[in-house]
Amino acid sequence: MSLANATGKTAVAKGPRIAPREMLARLIAFDTTSAKSNLALIDFVRDYLSAHGIESRLVFDDHRSKANLYASLGPGGAGGVVLSGHTDVVPVAGQPWSSDPFILREANGRLHGRGTCDMKGFIALALSLVPEMQAAGLKRPIHIALSYDEELGCLGAPRMIADIKANLPLPEIAIVGEPTRLKLGNRHKGCYGFDLEVTGRDGHSSATHRGLNAIAHAAQAIGFLDSLAERFRREGPFDPGFDPPYTTFNVGEISGGTAGNIIARQCKVAWEFRPIPAVDPETVIATVKRYLSEELVPRMRERVPEADVAMTEACVVPPLVPRPGSPAEALARHLTGANDTIGLAFGTEAGQFQDIGIDAIVCGPGSIEQAHQPDEFIELSQFAEGEAFLRRLMAWAAS
Ligand SMILES: [Zn+2]
């Protein structure tokens, strides 16, 4: 991890004013597909904020090819609200788009383009309001938090959130602007992904007594994961706010072996589980690790001493735990007028904010139904409602 501070101008700055729609067009034009760098977009945002006298704090990935950006407006100190969004988008390859996905296009009351709803629309609105926020005399800070690699499993945000926790005054509330049609998403499942690397011993397939088959033992690990999945499906705990209402497991990838007549020495398995908020993920992880270290690996080593199963973490997205009546929920109710809360079928960085003591809610314009789709769009009406939502937030922060 590395940090850098842009040198913001401290004098009263007169940066450019960019209308929401124009800002969205500019953000869409950066191809920030998760596999690519997001630095061109981050540079653009940093320069724009700097022109308005706002410093950006960047937290890079290991290769310095991607960065999170965190910037604070209004009075310094703790409290206030973080507006959080991801800068990356999912690929367009293989999708039948009617026009260039990276050029904003209006048609039939909709703004089309990759990322319009998921979730550059929310970011564009927040950024375009910056000059007004600066002029509003905020009494409570508003922070802008932009992350990378969200679409790969919220991989970027944890570095920024760790940096905030270690080095900065803590905001009170995080609003994650994923598309909920401005409904109050106060809970989602977590997602914990792992790779298993099973090592046996190779040899001629006719002499199985001299080798140890990694595929066969990976299959036993998968069987154990399946038995856990079945137990959660039958016995719960259950949460009717989700579909399905229980913790799920999935083995998503397997690879191993070299040929039909060779005992497989290696086998790799990628798996994940998605706990409802009532399930402690650490307990699940410990259960799997105990099975591996106390049952499977000893059984393998009885036959060949070098046998092993390594389990490594691929992604960690903690659940968003509902906290009825919490400051985040109360503020979002005040800003939207909505009474009901909803459970979300997707993970976000909201649980990561919650984990360091920042109250979090997911609420943003547009619909998740259009996310990841060809001809992704945000309705003009949703875009306008999102702007009104952020203007009410600005008024609240200035009051
Ligand atoms: Zn998203």
Side-chain angles (χ1 to χ4, degrees):
M1 185 186 309
S2 55
L3 301 170
N5 281 302
T7 45
K9 292 165 195 137
T10 45
V12 177
K14 279 259 177 267
R17 287 179 179 255
I18 302 178
R21 186 192 170 123
E22 169 63 16
M23 183 64 84
L24 180 57
R26 295 209 196 173
L27 297 183
I28 295 296
F30 295 104
D31 176 1
T32 51
T33 307
S34 307
K36 299 182 178 172
S37 168
N38 73 341
L39 290 183
L41 182 150
I42 291 292
D43 281 347
F44 163 73
V45 174
R46 188 190 52 187
D47 291 348
Y48 168 78
L49 293 174
S50 172
H52 288 282
I54 300 158
E55 262 190 38
S56 295
R57 190 175 174 92
L58 305 188
V59 181
F60 289 89
D61 72 344
D62 286 340
H63 311 288
R64 283 188 81 87
S65 63
K66 296 173 183 177
N68 300 297
L69 180 150
Y70 187 74
S72 300
L73 290 74
V81 173
V82 188
L83 301 175
S84 183
H86 60 83
T87 58
D88 59 318
V89 295
V90 294
V92 296
Q95 291 189 335
W97 281 76
S98 324
S99 61
D100 188 331
F102 301 105
I103 296 176
L104 193 69
R105 173 175 67 90
E106 181 182 342
N108 306 317
R110 297 165 169 179
L111 295 171
H112 292 274
R114 173 55 89 224
T116 43
C117 82
D118 184 17
M119 55 177 290
K120 290 176 173 175
F122 178 79
I123 297 172
L125 290 169
L127 290 175
S128 78
L129 285 174
V130 159
E132 290 178 60
M133 290 179 187
Q134 284 289 77
L138 299 183
K139 297 195 177 72
R140 296 181 252 220
I142 293 178
H143 314 270
I144 293 172
L146 307 182
S147 58
Y148 64 84
D149 282 358
E150 192 271 353
E151 298 289 5
L152 303 181
C154 291
L155 299 183
R159 290 179 174 225
M160 172 167 54
I161 292 169
D163 177 47
I164 295 169
K165 187 184 180 197
N167 301 307
L168 297 171
L170 275 199
E172 184 187 18
I173 291 168
I175 297 176
V176 176
E178 287 279 353
T180 64
R181 297 193 71 84
L182 293 163
K183 295 198 171 89
L184 313 184
N186 74 341
R187 57 193 186 275
H188 61 64
K189 290 183 180 180
C191 180
Y192 294 75
F194 299 90
D195 295 320
L196 291 182
E197 177 129 28
V198 182
T199 306
R201 182 189 288 173
D202 51 11
H204 194 281
S205 59
S206 63
T208 51
H209 59 299
R210 295 202 191 97
L212 183 76
N213 192 307
I215 294 175
H217 288 83
Q220 292 181 30
I222 293 169
F224 180 75
L225 295 172
D226 260 350
S227 71
L228 281 183
E230 188 60 14
R231 201 178 79 204
F232 278 105
R233 189 179 72 81
R234 283 171 184 274
E235 298 170 16
F238 299 102
D239 185 333
F242 296 108
D243 177 28
Y246 48 83
T247 297
T248 58
F249 287 69
N250 184 56
V251 175
E253 258 184 288
I254 184 165
S255 64
T258 42
N261 60 359
I262 298 174
I263 299 165
R265 195 172 74 85
Q266 294 285 350
C267 186
K268 279 178 97 166
V269 175
W271 68 280
E272 62 161 44
F273 71 102
R274 294 181 178 245
I276 60 171
V279 167
D280 175 21
E282 295 308 325
T283 307
V284 177
I285 294 166
T287 302
V288 175
K289 285 187 171 165
R290 201 175 322 116
Y291 165 77
L292 296 176
S293 67
E294 293 178 12
E295 293 186 44
L296 186 60
V297 172
R299 204 156 59 226
M300 294 165 71
R301 286 188 180 159
E302 268 175 29
R303 292 181 48 193
V304 304
E306 73 270 28
D308 196 21
V309 182
M311 179 162 124
T312 51
E313 206 175 86
C315 70
V316 173
V317 182
L320 176 61
V321 181
R323 296 187 53 220
S326 71
E329 202 178 298
L331 175 63
R333 277 181 201 281
H334 168 70
L335 298 177
T336 60
N339 277 320
D340 296 337
T341 54
I342 57 170
L344 302 169
F346 53 91
T348 75
E349 66 273 25
Q352 294 166 340
F353 281 110
Q354 203 174 45
D355 269 4
I356 67 158
I358 299 175
D359 205 26
I361 193 133
V362 183
C363 183
S367 167
I368 197 69
E369 280 166 31
Q370 277 90 52
H372 304 197
Q373 300 292 322
D375 290 340
E376 176 180 344
F377 65 84
I378 187 167
E379 293 149 333
L380 284 165
S381 56
Q382 275 293 304
F383 199 50
E385 273 189 49
E387 182 179 347
F389 169 75
L390 290 178
R391 286 186 178 283
R392 287 191 290 271
L393 173 73
M394 181 167 70
W396 169 84
S399 67

